[in-house]
């Protein structure tokens, strides 16, 4: 039996490979398992700017929970500046961040990837976000981008200091619920 790997190296399905002369015959085994969609929940932000650290806080909380096979939660500030390997080894990325919009503080929303890029280009508060998008652009150019879902929050307080505002801290359970919905959507 031979494991075939997809564009990002993830096992796709188990196959029997039989060679007859110059002809290779491949058949799917009856014991093939459903492919696991490797998913990373990536929390980005700057924890030194209060609510800006929301994504990091959510990823840390999620990492304390039992996660399904193939799912990991990562504090983006701990990845360093090279997100490419992390993005390349996953089929789906759930990015959790803050984004300023014309919304009431502590509002959670799913966001379009292009809107996030535009928002970050106006005011950078975290180098992690710039590094993430640079790596994503590189993988897109190479033809192997992961699926990206963005869960954002309108912050209340972005100022020097530690800890989330009470209103934003109260949004963590709802953000985790939104993340679970995204994880279950591919299972």
């Amino acid at each position: 039996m031979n494991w075939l790997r997809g564009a990002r190296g993830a096992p796709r399905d188990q196959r029997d490979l039989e060679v007859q002369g110059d002809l290779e015959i491949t058949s799917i085994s009856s014991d093939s398992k459903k492919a696991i969609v490797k998913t990373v929940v990536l929390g980005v932000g700057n924890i030194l700017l209060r609510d800006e650290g929301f994504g990091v806080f959510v990823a840390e909380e999620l990492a304390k929970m039992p996660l399904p096979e193939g799912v990991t939660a990562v504090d983006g500030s701990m990845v360093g500046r090279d997100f490419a390997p992390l993005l390349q080894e996953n089929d789906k990325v759930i990015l959790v961040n803050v984004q300023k919009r014309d919304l009431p503080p502590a509002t959670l929303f799913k966001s379009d990837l292009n809107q996030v890029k535009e928002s970050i280009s106006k005011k950078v508060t975290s180098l992690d976000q710039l590094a993430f998008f640079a790596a994503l652009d590189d993988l897109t150019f190479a033809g192997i981008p992961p699926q990206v879902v963005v869960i954002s929050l309108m912050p209340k307080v972005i100022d020097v200091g530690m800890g989330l505002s009470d209103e934003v801290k109260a949004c963590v359970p709802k953000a985790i619920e939104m993340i679970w919905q995204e994880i279950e959507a591919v299972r």
Side-chain angles (χ1 to χ4, degrees):
M1 290 195 204
N2 181 28
W3 280 96
L4 296 183
R5 298 197 175 270
R8 287 183 218 66
R12 293 299 182 217
D13 48 44
Q14 195 172 9
R15 299 175 183 253
D16 291 322
L17 181 64
E18 183 182 329
V19 179
Q20 296 178 351
D22 292 338
L23 179 64
E24 291 183 4
I25 300 171
T26 305
S27 62
I28 298 176
S29 301
S30 59
D31 63 341
S32 293
K33 295 181 181 178
K34 185 177 176 183
I36 294 172
V37 177
K38 289 189 69 178
T39 303
V40 63
V41 178
L42 182 61
V44 295
N46 185 338
I47 62 168
L48 301 176
L49 294 175
R50 304 276 323 260
D51 291 347
E52 169 66 28
F54 176 75
V56 173
F57 187 80
V58 169
E60 288 174 348
E61 288 300 305
L62 197 63
K64 295 174 188 175
M65 300 175 178
L67 299 172
E69 183 179 0
V71 177
T72 56
V74 176
D75 170 350
S77 66
M78 302 306 289
V79 173
R81 299 297 171 247
D82 189 8
F83 282 89
L86 180 68
L87 297 180
Q88 189 172 3
E89 67 190 30
N90 285 284
D91 301 300
K92 184 173 185 174
V93 176
I94 302 171
L95 178 68
V96 184
N97 71 344
V98 297
Q99 198 179 144
K100 287 192 173 183
R101 293 275 189 88
D102 287 332
L103 297 169
T107 301
L108 275 167
F109 55 96
K110 283 178 68 174
S111 186
D112 177 76
L113 195 56
N114 292 324
Q115 291 171 326
V116 178
K117 284 184 182 182
E118 184 180 315
S119 173
I120 290 170
S121 69
K122 291 178 183 173
K123 182 175 182 182
V124 176
T125 55
S126 169
L127 294 178
D128 300 332
Q129 292 171 336
L130 289 178
F132 171 82
F133 283 107
L136 187 60
D137 286 345
D138 290 346
L139 292 174
T140 300
F141 181 75
I144 52 172
Q147 176 191 5
V148 179
V149 173
V150 183
I151 296 175
S152 298
L153 174 115
M154 175 63 187
K156 180 177 182 191
V157 179
I158 294 189
D159 199 1
V160 177
M162 298 287 288
L164 302 176
S165 64
D166 291 338
E167 294 86 348
V168 167
K169 190 180 288 185
C171 292
V172 171
K174 177 63 177 166
I176 290 174
E177 181 182 320
M178 291 172 74
I179 292 166
W180 277 108
Q181 289 172 357
E182 290 298 328
I183 291 169
E184 292 300 318
V186 295
R187 300 261 163 223

